[in-house]
Short mmCIF file of all heavy atoms in Angstrom, two decimals:
data_model
loop_
_atom_site.label_atom_id
_atom_site.label_comp_id
_atom_site.label_asym_id
_atom_site.label_seq_id
_atom_site.Cartn_x
_atom_site.Cartn_y
_atom_site.Cartn_z
N THR A 30 -16.36 -11.68 -1.78
CA THR A 30 -15.93 -12.59 -0.66
C THR A 30 -14.74 -11.91 0.02
O THR A 30 -13.99 -11.11 -0.46
CB THR A 30 -15.47 -13.94 -1.32
OG1 THR A 30 -14.38 -13.74 -2.10
CG2 THR A 30 -16.59 -14.57 -2.12
N GLY A 31 -14.55 -12.42 1.26
CA GLY A 31 -13.48 -11.86 2.09
C GLY A 31 -13.60 -10.35 2.29
O GLY A 31 -12.63 -9.64 2.42
N ALA A 32 -14.88 -9.89 2.44
CA ALA A 32 -15.15 -8.42 2.44
C ALA A 32 -15.27 -7.91 3.91
O ALA A 32 -15.64 -6.76 4.13
CB ALA A 32 -16.36 -8.07 1.68
N GLY A 33 -14.83 -8.70 4.87
CA GLY A 33 -15.01 -8.31 6.26
C GLY A 33 -13.87 -7.38 6.76
O GLY A 33 -13.95 -6.78 7.79
N ARG A 34 -12.83 -7.26 5.87
CA ARG A 34 -11.79 -6.36 6.36
C ARG A 34 -10.87 -6.10 5.09
O ARG A 34 -11.08 -6.71 4.05
CB ARG A 34 -10.92 -6.98 7.49
CG ARG A 34 -10.06 -8.13 7.07
CD ARG A 34 -9.31 -8.71 8.21
NE ARG A 34 -8.26 -9.59 7.77
CZ ARG A 34 -7.56 -10.48 8.52
NH1 ARG A 34 -7.95 -10.65 9.76
NH2 ARG A 34 -6.71 -11.22 7.94
N GLY A 35 -9.74 -5.34 5.31
CA GLY A 35 -8.83 -5.10 4.22
C GLY A 35 -9.40 -4.69 2.90
O GLY A 35 -10.23 -3.83 2.75
N ILE A 36 -8.80 -5.31 1.82
CA ILE A 36 -9.08 -4.93 0.43
C ILE A 36 -10.55 -5.24 0.16
O ILE A 36 -11.26 -4.36 -0.50
CB ILE A 36 -8.23 -5.69 -0.56
CG1 ILE A 36 -6.80 -5.15 -0.40
CG2 ILE A 36 -8.73 -5.56 -1.94
CD1 ILE A 36 -5.77 -5.90 -1.22
N GLY A 37 -11.13 -6.32 0.66
CA GLY A 37 -12.48 -6.66 0.43
C GLY A 37 -13.44 -5.59 1.00
O GLY A 37 -14.44 -5.29 0.34
N ARG A 38 -13.14 -5.12 2.11
CA ARG A 38 -13.92 -4.02 2.74
C ARG A 38 -13.88 -2.83 1.87
O ARG A 38 -14.85 -2.08 1.75
CB ARG A 38 -13.46 -3.72 4.18
CG ARG A 38 -13.93 -2.64 4.81
CD ARG A 38 -13.46 -2.52 6.35
NE ARG A 38 -13.84 -1.33 6.95
CZ ARG A 38 -12.98 -0.25 7.15
NH1 ARG A 38 -11.77 -0.34 6.73
NH2 ARG A 38 -13.49 0.84 7.66
N CYS A 54 -19.55 -10.99 2.01
CA CYS A 54 -19.37 -12.37 2.50
C CYS A 54 -18.05 -12.46 3.18
O CYS A 54 -17.09 -11.88 2.70
CB CYS A 54 -19.24 -13.28 1.27
SG CYS A 54 -20.75 -13.66 0.54
N ASP A 55 -17.98 -13.17 4.26
CA ASP A 55 -16.73 -13.43 4.94
C ASP A 55 -16.86 -14.72 5.89
O ASP A 55 -17.99 -15.08 6.21
CB ASP A 55 -16.22 -12.24 5.78
CG ASP A 55 -14.78 -12.26 5.99
OD1 ASP A 55 -14.16 -13.07 6.72
OD2 ASP A 55 -14.05 -11.43 5.29
N LEU A 56 -15.68 -15.31 6.01
CA LEU A 56 -15.66 -16.46 7.00
C LEU A 56 -16.00 -15.93 8.34
O LEU A 56 -16.55 -16.69 9.19
CB LEU A 56 -14.18 -16.92 6.97
CG LEU A 56 -13.80 -18.28 7.51
CD1 LEU A 56 -14.54 -19.42 6.88
CD2 LEU A 56 -12.30 -18.51 7.26
N ASN A 57 -15.60 -14.75 8.60
CA ASN A 57 -15.91 -14.08 9.99
C ASN A 57 -17.13 -13.28 9.83
O ASN A 57 -17.20 -12.15 9.32
CB ASN A 57 -14.70 -13.16 10.19
CG ASN A 57 -14.75 -12.56 11.66
OD1 ASN A 57 -15.85 -12.38 12.14
ND2 ASN A 57 -13.61 -12.31 12.20
N SER A 60 -17.12 -9.60 11.51
CA SER A 60 -16.51 -8.51 10.69
C SER A 60 -17.38 -8.09 9.50
O SER A 60 -17.43 -6.97 9.14
CB SER A 60 -15.05 -8.94 10.37
OG SER A 60 -15.01 -9.90 9.46
N ALA A 80 -19.70 -17.02 4.91
CA ALA A 80 -19.42 -18.01 3.92
C ALA A 80 -17.97 -18.44 3.90
O ALA A 80 -17.09 -17.50 4.08
CB ALA A 80 -19.90 -17.54 2.49
N ASP A 81 -17.70 -19.70 3.59
CA ASP A 81 -16.31 -20.14 3.53
C ASP A 81 -16.13 -20.54 2.06
O ASP A 81 -16.68 -21.51 1.62
CB ASP A 81 -16.18 -21.43 4.44
CG ASP A 81 -14.76 -21.99 4.40
OD1 ASP A 81 -14.00 -21.54 3.51
OD2 ASP A 81 -14.42 -22.81 5.30
N VAL A 82 -15.12 -19.80 1.40
CA VAL A 82 -14.95 -20.06 0.02
C VAL A 82 -14.30 -21.42 -0.35
O VAL A 82 -14.37 -21.88 -1.42
CB VAL A 82 -14.11 -19.00 -0.71
CG1 VAL A 82 -14.69 -17.63 -0.64
CG2 VAL A 82 -12.68 -19.02 -0.12
N THR A 83 -13.79 -22.11 0.69
CA THR A 83 -13.21 -23.38 0.42
C THR A 83 -14.21 -24.53 0.35
O THR A 83 -13.87 -25.61 -0.01
CB THR A 83 -12.16 -23.78 1.54
OG1 THR A 83 -12.89 -23.88 2.80
CG2 THR A 83 -11.02 -22.79 1.69
N GLU A 84 -15.48 -24.22 0.67
CA GLU A 84 -16.59 -25.19 0.57
C GLU A 84 -17.57 -24.78 -0.45
O GLU A 84 -18.25 -23.77 -0.37
CB GLU A 84 -17.31 -25.23 1.93
CG GLU A 84 -16.43 -25.57 3.14
CD GLU A 84 -16.03 -27.03 3.15
OE1 GLU A 84 -16.78 -27.83 2.55
OE2 GLU A 84 -15.09 -27.35 3.88
N MET A 88 -20.63 -21.70 -0.42
CA MET A 88 -20.71 -20.64 -1.41
C MET A 88 -22.05 -20.74 -2.15
O MET A 88 -22.71 -19.71 -2.41
CB MET A 88 -19.62 -20.57 -2.43
CG MET A 88 -18.28 -20.04 -1.88
SD MET A 88 -18.50 -18.58 -0.96
CE MET A 88 -19.20 -17.42 -2.12
N PRO A 107 -14.51 -12.39 -6.43
CA PRO A 107 -13.83 -13.27 -5.50
C PRO A 107 -12.50 -12.68 -5.05
O PRO A 107 -11.56 -12.52 -5.82
CB PRO A 107 -13.50 -14.49 -6.46
CG PRO A 107 -14.45 -14.27 -7.71
CD PRO A 107 -14.57 -12.78 -7.75
N ASN A 108 -12.52 -12.28 -3.77
CA ASN A 108 -11.45 -11.46 -3.21
C ASN A 108 -10.77 -12.25 -2.08
O ASN A 108 -9.53 -12.04 -1.80
CB ASN A 108 -12.00 -10.14 -2.70
CG ASN A 108 -11.02 -9.50 -1.69
OD1 ASN A 108 -10.01 -8.94 -2.09
ND2 ASN A 108 -11.33 -9.63 -0.39
N ALA A 109 -11.45 -13.17 -1.37
CA ALA A 109 -10.91 -13.79 -0.20
C ALA A 109 -9.59 -14.52 -0.58
O ALA A 109 -9.42 -15.11 -1.56
CB ALA A 109 -11.86 -14.85 0.30
N GLY A 110 -8.53 -14.25 0.38
CA GLY A 110 -7.26 -14.79 0.07
C GLY A 110 -6.45 -15.05 1.40
O GLY A 110 -6.79 -14.41 2.34
N VAL A 111 -5.44 -15.93 1.32
CA VAL A 111 -4.59 -16.09 2.42
C VAL A 111 -3.09 -16.11 2.02
O VAL A 111 -2.89 -16.46 0.83
CB VAL A 111 -4.89 -17.41 3.26
CG1 VAL A 111 -6.30 -17.38 3.93
CG2 VAL A 111 -4.76 -18.62 2.28
N ILE A 112 -2.25 -15.66 2.87
CA ILE A 112 -0.79 -15.65 2.48
C ILE A 112 -0.14 -17.01 2.76
O ILE A 112 0.84 -17.37 2.11
CB ILE A 112 -0.11 -14.54 3.30
CG1 ILE A 112 1.34 -14.30 2.84
CG2 ILE A 112 -0.18 -14.74 4.86
CD1 ILE A 112 1.46 -13.62 1.47
N ARG A 130 -3.22 -24.68 1.68
CA ARG A 130 -4.06 -23.63 2.13
C ARG A 130 -4.12 -22.54 1.07
O ARG A 130 -5.26 -22.10 0.81
CB ARG A 130 -3.63 -23.04 3.50
CG ARG A 130 -4.69 -22.23 4.13
CD ARG A 130 -5.89 -22.97 4.58
NE ARG A 130 -7.01 -22.12 5.01
CZ ARG A 130 -8.22 -22.42 5.03
NH1 ARG A 130 -8.68 -23.69 4.61
NH2 ARG A 130 -9.23 -21.64 5.40
N GLU A 133 -6.25 -24.01 -1.73
CA GLU A 133 -7.64 -24.12 -1.25
C GLU A 133 -8.39 -22.82 -1.31
O GLU A 133 -9.51 -22.73 -1.79
CB GLU A 133 -7.65 -24.60 0.19
CG GLU A 133 -7.95 -26.14 0.27
CD GLU A 133 -7.56 -26.59 1.74
OE1 GLU A 133 -7.63 -25.77 2.70
OE2 GLU A 133 -7.23 -27.75 1.87
N VAL A 134 -7.81 -21.77 -0.80
CA VAL A 134 -8.52 -20.46 -0.65
C VAL A 134 -8.30 -19.66 -1.94
O VAL A 134 -9.30 -19.17 -2.53
CB VAL A 134 -8.03 -19.67 0.55
CG1 VAL A 134 -8.84 -18.40 0.69
CG2 VAL A 134 -8.19 -20.55 1.84
N ASN A 135 -7.11 -19.42 -2.35
CA ASN A 135 -6.80 -18.48 -3.40
C ASN A 135 -7.11 -18.97 -4.83
O ASN A 135 -7.18 -18.19 -5.77
CB ASN A 135 -5.25 -18.09 -3.40
CG ASN A 135 -4.87 -17.52 -2.04
OD1 ASN A 135 -5.72 -17.32 -1.17
ND2 ASN A 135 -3.62 -17.31 -1.91
N ILE A 161 -9.70 -11.00 -7.63
CA ILE A 161 -8.57 -10.24 -7.05
C ILE A 161 -7.41 -11.23 -6.95
O ILE A 161 -7.38 -12.22 -6.19
CB ILE A 161 -8.96 -9.76 -5.62
CG1 ILE A 161 -10.17 -8.78 -5.72
CG2 ILE A 161 -7.71 -8.98 -5.12
CD1 ILE A 161 -10.10 -7.63 -6.65
N ALA A 162 -6.41 -10.98 -7.86
CA ALA A 162 -5.15 -11.76 -7.92
C ALA A 162 -4.06 -11.01 -7.17
O ALA A 162 -4.26 -10.50 -6.00
CB ALA A 162 -4.75 -12.06 -9.33
N SER A 163 -2.85 -10.85 -7.75
CA SER A 163 -1.81 -10.02 -7.18
C SER A 163 -0.78 -9.81 -8.25
O SER A 163 -0.61 -10.69 -9.10
CB SER A 163 -1.22 -10.84 -5.97
OG SER A 163 -0.01 -10.16 -5.57
N HIS A 164 -0.05 -8.67 -8.12
CA HIS A 164 1.02 -8.50 -9.05
C HIS A 164 2.17 -9.49 -8.79
O HIS A 164 2.95 -9.82 -9.67
CB HIS A 164 1.56 -7.03 -9.11
CG HIS A 164 2.33 -6.61 -7.99
ND1 HIS A 164 3.07 -5.49 -7.90
CD2 HIS A 164 2.42 -7.23 -6.68
CE1 HIS A 164 3.64 -5.32 -6.68
NE2 HIS A 164 3.18 -6.28 -5.93
N GLY A 165 2.15 -10.17 -7.62
CA GLY A 165 3.12 -11.24 -7.27
C GLY A 165 2.85 -12.46 -8.07
O GLY A 165 3.65 -13.31 -8.20
N TYR A 183 2.08 -18.77 -2.26
CA TYR A 183 1.15 -17.65 -2.40
C TYR A 183 1.35 -17.07 -3.80
O TYR A 183 0.30 -16.93 -4.53
CB TYR A 183 1.41 -16.58 -1.41
CG TYR A 183 0.66 -15.26 -1.65
CD1 TYR A 183 -0.77 -15.21 -1.17
CD2 TYR A 183 1.14 -14.20 -2.30
CE1 TYR A 183 -1.49 -14.12 -1.44
CE2 TYR A 183 0.40 -13.07 -2.53
CZ TYR A 183 -0.91 -13.01 -2.04
OH TYR A 183 -1.68 -11.87 -2.35
N LYS A 187 -1.42 -17.14 -7.04
CA LYS A 187 -1.94 -15.94 -7.70
C LYS A 187 -1.74 -15.97 -9.19
O LYS A 187 -2.55 -15.44 -9.97
CB LYS A 187 -1.32 -14.68 -7.05
CG LYS A 187 -1.77 -14.41 -5.64
CD LYS A 187 -3.24 -14.08 -5.55
CE LYS A 187 -3.76 -13.94 -4.19
NZ LYS A 187 -5.20 -13.55 -4.20
N VAL A 211 -8.01 -8.00 -11.12
CA VAL A 211 -7.20 -6.81 -10.61
C VAL A 211 -6.05 -7.40 -9.81
O VAL A 211 -6.24 -8.38 -9.04
CB VAL A 211 -8.05 -5.93 -9.78
CG1 VAL A 211 -7.25 -4.85 -9.06
CG2 VAL A 211 -9.11 -5.21 -10.61
N CYS A 212 -4.84 -6.84 -10.04
CA CYS A 212 -3.66 -7.26 -9.41
C CYS A 212 -3.16 -6.23 -8.48
O CYS A 212 -2.42 -5.28 -8.92
CB CYS A 212 -2.55 -7.67 -10.40
SG CYS A 212 -3.08 -9.03 -11.54
N PRO A 213 -3.54 -6.28 -7.23
CA PRO A 213 -3.06 -5.18 -6.28
C PRO A 213 -1.55 -5.32 -6.10
O PRO A 213 -0.96 -6.39 -6.19
CB PRO A 213 -3.81 -5.52 -4.95
CG PRO A 213 -4.95 -6.39 -5.34
CD PRO A 213 -4.44 -7.24 -6.57
N GLY A 214 -1.01 -4.23 -5.62
CA GLY A 214 0.52 -4.20 -5.29
C GLY A 214 0.73 -4.43 -3.84
O GLY A 214 0.78 -5.57 -3.33
N THR A 215 0.99 -3.35 -3.12
CA THR A 215 1.37 -3.46 -1.75
C THR A 215 0.48 -2.59 -0.85
O THR A 215 0.43 -1.40 -1.03
CB THR A 215 2.88 -2.96 -1.59
OG1 THR A 215 3.61 -3.65 -2.58
CG2 THR A 215 3.40 -3.29 -0.26
N LEU A 216 -0.30 -3.26 0.01
CA LEU A 216 -1.24 -2.52 0.91
C LEU A 216 -1.11 -2.95 2.32
O LEU A 216 -0.89 -4.15 2.63
CB LEU A 216 -2.69 -2.86 0.48
CG LEU A 216 -3.19 -2.36 -0.93
CD1 LEU A 216 -2.93 -3.45 -1.99
CD2 LEU A 216 -4.67 -2.06 -0.84
N TRP A 217 -1.17 -2.00 3.25
CA TRP A 217 -1.04 -2.29 4.63
C TRP A 217 -2.42 -2.82 5.22
O TRP A 217 -3.27 -2.10 5.69
CB TRP A 217 -0.57 -1.04 5.45
CG TRP A 217 -0.36 -1.34 6.89
CD1 TRP A 217 -1.01 -0.83 7.93
CD2 TRP A 217 0.67 -2.11 7.44
NE1 TRP A 217 -0.43 -1.23 9.11
CE2 TRP A 217 0.62 -2.08 8.87
CE3 TRP A 217 1.75 -2.91 6.87
CZ2 TRP A 217 1.53 -2.72 9.65
CZ3 TRP A 217 2.58 -3.59 7.69
CH2 TRP A 217 2.43 -3.58 9.06
N THR A 218 -2.51 -4.15 5.08
CA THR A 218 -3.65 -4.86 5.67
C THR A 218 -3.13 -5.95 6.55
O THR A 218 -1.95 -6.19 6.61
CB THR A 218 -4.49 -5.53 4.55
OG1 THR A 218 -3.67 -6.50 3.94
CG2 THR A 218 -4.96 -4.49 3.45
N PRO A 219 -4.04 -6.70 7.29
CA PRO A 219 -3.60 -7.77 8.11
C PRO A 219 -2.72 -8.73 7.32
O PRO A 219 -1.73 -9.35 7.91
CB PRO A 219 -4.77 -8.37 8.70
CG PRO A 219 -5.80 -7.24 8.70
CD PRO A 219 -5.47 -6.37 7.49
N MET A 220 -2.97 -8.93 6.05
CA MET A 220 -2.20 -9.87 5.26
C MET A 220 -0.78 -9.37 5.21
O MET A 220 0.23 -10.16 5.36
CB MET A 220 -2.75 -10.03 3.82
CG MET A 220 -1.93 -11.04 3.07
SD MET A 220 -2.58 -11.40 1.35
CE MET A 220 -3.87 -12.49 1.71
N TRP A 221 -0.48 -8.06 4.85
CA TRP A 221 0.91 -7.63 4.70
C TRP A 221 1.52 -7.52 6.08
O TRP A 221 2.74 -7.74 6.20
CB TRP A 221 0.89 -6.26 3.97
CG TRP A 221 2.09 -6.28 2.91
CD1 TRP A 221 1.95 -6.34 1.61
CD2 TRP A 221 3.49 -6.20 3.17
NE1 TRP A 221 3.19 -6.43 0.97
CE2 TRP A 221 4.14 -6.28 1.98
CE3 TRP A 221 4.28 -6.06 4.36
CZ2 TRP A 221 5.53 -6.18 1.79
CZ3 TRP A 221 5.66 -6.01 4.21
CH2 TRP A 221 6.27 -6.10 3.00
N ILE A 224 3.18 -10.73 6.57
CA ILE A 224 4.45 -10.84 5.76
C ILE A 224 5.58 -10.09 6.53
O ILE A 224 6.71 -10.52 6.66
CB ILE A 224 4.29 -10.11 4.39
CG1 ILE A 224 3.26 -10.84 3.55
CG2 ILE A 224 5.62 -10.11 3.59
CD1 ILE A 224 2.84 -10.15 2.27
N PHE A 244 7.37 -2.74 6.00
CA PHE A 244 6.40 -2.42 4.87
C PHE A 244 6.82 -1.18 4.14
O PHE A 244 6.94 -1.21 2.98
CB PHE A 244 5.00 -2.30 5.51
CG PHE A 244 3.96 -1.81 4.55
CD1 PHE A 244 3.42 -2.72 3.66
CD2 PHE A 244 3.52 -0.48 4.57
CE1 PHE A 244 2.41 -2.27 2.79
CE2 PHE A 244 2.60 -0.10 3.66
CZ PHE A 244 2.00 -1.01 2.83
N GLN A 258 -0.68 1.30 -2.04
CA GLN A 258 -2.10 1.51 -2.45
C GLN A 258 -3.08 1.36 -1.28
O GLN A 258 -2.56 0.88 -0.28
CB GLN A 258 -2.48 0.45 -3.51
CG GLN A 258 -1.63 0.56 -4.79
CD GLN A 258 -0.27 0.09 -4.69
OE1 GLN A 258 0.00 -1.07 -4.30
NE2 GLN A 258 0.75 0.96 -5.05
N PRO A 260 -7.04 0.06 0.03
CA PRO A 260 -8.22 -0.78 -0.40
C PRO A 260 -9.17 -0.07 -1.34
O PRO A 260 -9.76 -0.65 -2.25
CB PRO A 260 -8.94 -1.18 0.93
CG PRO A 260 -7.75 -1.11 1.93
CD PRO A 260 -6.82 0.05 1.52
N ILE A 263 -8.17 -0.19 -4.89
CA ILE A 263 -8.46 -1.35 -5.60
C ILE A 263 -9.94 -1.41 -5.88
O ILE A 263 -10.37 -1.83 -6.96
CB ILE A 263 -8.09 -2.64 -4.65
CG1 ILE A 263 -6.64 -2.47 -4.17
CG2 ILE A 263 -8.41 -3.99 -5.37
CD1 ILE A 263 -5.58 -2.36 -5.16
N1 NAD B 301 -2.53 -6.70 1.05
C1 NAD B 301 -1.84 -6.72 -0.11
O1 NAD B 301 -0.71 -6.08 -0.19
C2 NAD B 301 -2.27 -7.59 -1.24
C3 NAD B 301 -1.56 -7.50 -2.49
C4 NAD B 301 -1.95 -8.22 -3.54
C5 NAD B 301 -3.05 -8.99 -3.46
N2 NAD B 301 -3.74 -9.06 -2.34
C6 NAD B 301 -4.99 -9.95 -2.34
O2 NAD B 301 -6.13 -9.19 -1.98
C7 NAD B 301 -7.08 -10.00 -1.36
C8 NAD B 301 -7.41 -9.40 0.03
O3 NAD B 301 -6.23 -9.27 0.73
P1 NAD B 301 -6.19 -8.51 2.14
O4 NAD B 301 -4.80 -7.89 2.22
O5 NAD B 301 -7.37 -7.62 2.35
O6 NAD B 301 -6.17 -9.72 3.14
P2 NAD B 301 -6.77 -9.82 4.68
O7 NAD B 301 -6.05 -10.99 5.32
O8 NAD B 301 -6.63 -8.48 5.32
O9 NAD B 301 -8.33 -10.18 4.50
C9 NAD B 301 -8.78 -11.27 3.90
C10 NAD B 301 -10.22 -11.59 4.24
O10 NAD B 301 -10.62 -12.81 3.64
C11 NAD B 301 -11.30 -13.55 4.60
N3 NAD B 301 -11.13 -14.94 4.35
C12 NAD B 301 -9.99 -15.72 4.49
N4 NAD B 301 -10.26 -16.93 4.18
C13 NAD B 301 -11.51 -17.06 3.84
C14 NAD B 301 -12.33 -18.14 3.43
N5 NAD B 301 -11.98 -19.46 3.42
N6 NAD B 301 -13.67 -17.90 3.12
C15 NAD B 301 -14.19 -16.56 3.19
N7 NAD B 301 -13.43 -15.56 3.59
C16 NAD B 301 -12.14 -15.80 3.90
C17 NAD B 301 -10.70 -13.18 5.99
O11 NAD B 301 -11.57 -13.47 6.94
C18 NAD B 301 -10.47 -11.63 5.79
O12 NAD B 301 -11.66 -10.96 6.09
C19 NAD B 301 -6.49 -11.41 -1.20
O13 NAD B 301 -6.82 -12.25 -2.24
C20 NAD B 301 -4.92 -11.04 -1.33
O14 NAD B 301 -4.18 -12.13 -1.85
C21 NAD B 301 -3.45 -8.27 -1.17
#
Side-chain angles (χ1 to χ4, degrees):
T30 66
R34 72 182 194 197
I36 292 176
R38 173 173 170 256
C54 282
D55 206 285
L56 197 53
N57 184 329
S60 63
D81 181 349
V82 299
T83 66
E84 302 286 342
M88 283 318 299
N108 160 78
V111 293
I112 188 71
R130 194 65 189 157
E133 259 166 24
V134 180
N135 302 354
I161 304 304
S163 169
H164 71 166
Y183 173 81
K187 290 297 175 177
V211 169
C212 299
T215 312
L216 293 90
W217 185 245
T218 65
M220 180 179 282
W221 224 103
I224 297 170
F244 173 79
Q258 295 76 55
I263 310 306

